């Protein structure tokens, strides 16, 4: 199975409530990424794990958390959702070898009301 | 900084028309260049990729040529079909940077029968 799976596909959340998005892959990829996609904007990297090492982008450092309890699984956590978090969240995975094209999941569409 | 620019937000064509989507990039590093395609309801999937060593890529009738002089990586197809309707993203990774993708903002292609 060479796919990246994301759950749920759609998520409705209330302002101020936590949100947890899940991603998994069975290809033994050592690197997993989370991107945020808003309408008419480029997908934006939020963070990535290389093995157990988390790398977060400076401008989203305090807004998103993540965990990777094993090689196959990675979550994205929002402690208190705001309206600005409404977006598509894309998970991807890859091997840390130059020129490897990351493989994407189908995405989770988050709507915050 | 490192960036990818797609100026065309939307393109509408008729079947058998010629497709040309502009993409330019900016980096001081060593890029690998990609085109991803995202069909409705799915995640982005790799269409083709090119490294600086081999400057042309092709897949499913699509072609892209890497031009270091103009820092461009335009996507072309001689004769589009309705099934090609999708969003196309130009993207790049940089050497030794964990295959983190820098995306353009995407071009929505609509092919009318």
């Amino acid at each position: 199975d060479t796919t990246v799976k994301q759950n749920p596909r759609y998520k409705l959340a209330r302002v101020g409530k936590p949100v947890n998005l899940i991603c998994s892959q069975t290809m033994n990829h050592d690197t997993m990424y989370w991107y945020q996609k808003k309408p008419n904007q480029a997908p934006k990297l939020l963070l990535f794990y290389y093995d157990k090492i988390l790398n977060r982008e400076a401008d989203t450092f305090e807004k998103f958390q993540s965990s990777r309890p094993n090689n196959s699984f990675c979550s994205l956590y929002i402690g208190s959702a705001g309206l600005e978090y409404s977006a598509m969240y894309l998970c991807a995975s890859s091997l840390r070898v130059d020129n490897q094209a990351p493989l994407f999941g189908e995405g989770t569409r988050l709507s915050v009301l | 900084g490192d960036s990818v620019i797609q100026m065309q937000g939307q393109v509408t064509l008729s079947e058998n028309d010629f497709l040309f989507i502009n993409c330019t990039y900016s980096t001081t590093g060593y890029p690998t260049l990609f085109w991803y395609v995202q069909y409705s309801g799915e995640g982005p999937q790799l269409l083709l990729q090119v490294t600086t060593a081999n400057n042309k890529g092709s897949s499913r009738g699509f072609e892209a040529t890497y031009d270091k002089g103009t820092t461009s990586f335009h996507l072309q197809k001689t004769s589009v079909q309705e099934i090609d309707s999708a969003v196309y993203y130009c993207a790049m990774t940089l050497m030794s940077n964990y295959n983190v993708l820098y995306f353009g903002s995407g071009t929505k292609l609509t092919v009318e029968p």
Side-chain angles (χ1 to χ4, degrees):
Chain A
D1 184 11
T2 57
T3 58
V4 175
K5 296 190 190 305
Q6 290 189 242
N7 286 296
R9 291 292 308 278
Y10 302 91
K11 174 72 177 175
L12 188 63
R14 296 293 181 187
V15 170
K17 296 298 185 182
V19 175
N20 195 45
L21 308 181
I22 294 169
C23 179
S24 64
Q25 50 90 13
T26 56
M27 296 161 287
N28 207 30
H29 284 170
D30 50 24
T31 310
M32 295 184 74
Y33 316 80
W34 283 100
Y35 290 83
Q36 181 190 64
K37 172 73 176 77
K38 292 186 174 182
N40 303 315
Q41 295 182 20
K44 174 183 166 55
L45 179 71
L46 299 176
L47 53 86
F48 68 94
Y49 266 99
Y50 168 62
D51 196 19
K52 296 186 188 305
I53 301 169
L54 175 61
N55 298 269
R56 287 190 282 182
E57 292 294 283
D59 58 346
T60 55
F61 189 87
E62 294 180 344
K63 294 184 176 182
F64 298 93
Q65 296 173 42
S66 184
S67 67
R68 192 179 186 189
N70 56 60
N71 179 270
S72 301
F73 179 94
C74 187
S75 67
L76 183 70
Y77 181 75
I78 300 166
S80 176
L83 296 176
E84 71 277 15
Y85 287 89
S86 292
M88 174 72 80
Y89 290 86
L90 297 167
C91 176
S93 70
S94 176
L95 286 173
R96 191 200 171 188
V97 174
D98 281 339
N99 306 326
Q100 282 278 314
L103 185 65
F104 282 84
E106 293 182 320
T108 295
R109 183 169 296 282
L110 173 64
S111 298
V112 182
L113 303 175
Chain B
D2 304 308
S3 64
V4 175
I5 304 293
Q6 283 178 257
M7 296 299 292
Q8 300 154 283
Q10 293 196 67
V11 173
T12 301
L13 298 172
S14 299
E15 279 200 320
N16 301 313
D17 279 354
F18 175 73
L19 171 68
F20 186 89
I21 301 178
N22 282 291
C23 173
T24 58
Y25 65 91
S26 174
T27 181
T28 55
Y30 297 93
T32 297
L33 300 161
F34 304 86
W35 280 97
Y36 277 82
V37 57
Q38 185 172 19
Y39 300 101
S40 180
E42 300 180 15
Q45 56 183 266
L46 179 67
L47 179 59
L48 55 85
Q49 74 179 76
V50 166
T51 66
T52 54
N54 58 326
N55 66 351
K56 195 168 197 173
S58 62
S59 173
R60 304 186 234 167
F62 291 88
E63 277 192 355
T65 301
Y66 160 66
D67 186 329
K68 188 177 180 182
T70 58
T71 63
S72 65
F73 188 54
H74 309 315
L75 183 69
Q76 304 180 77
K77 187 175 185 183
T78 304
S79 177
V80 293
Q81 304 302 308
E82 199 174 349
I83 58 168
D84 295 325
S85 296
V87 179
Y88 292 81
Y89 293 99
C90 184
M92 73 176 178
T93 59
L94 301 175
M95 187 178 291
S96 302
N97 193 34
Y98 300 93
N99 292 320
V100 168
L101 282 160
Y102 297 84
F103 279 98
S105 54
T107 299
K108 183 177 181 180
L109 171 66
T110 302
V111 181
E112 296 173 339

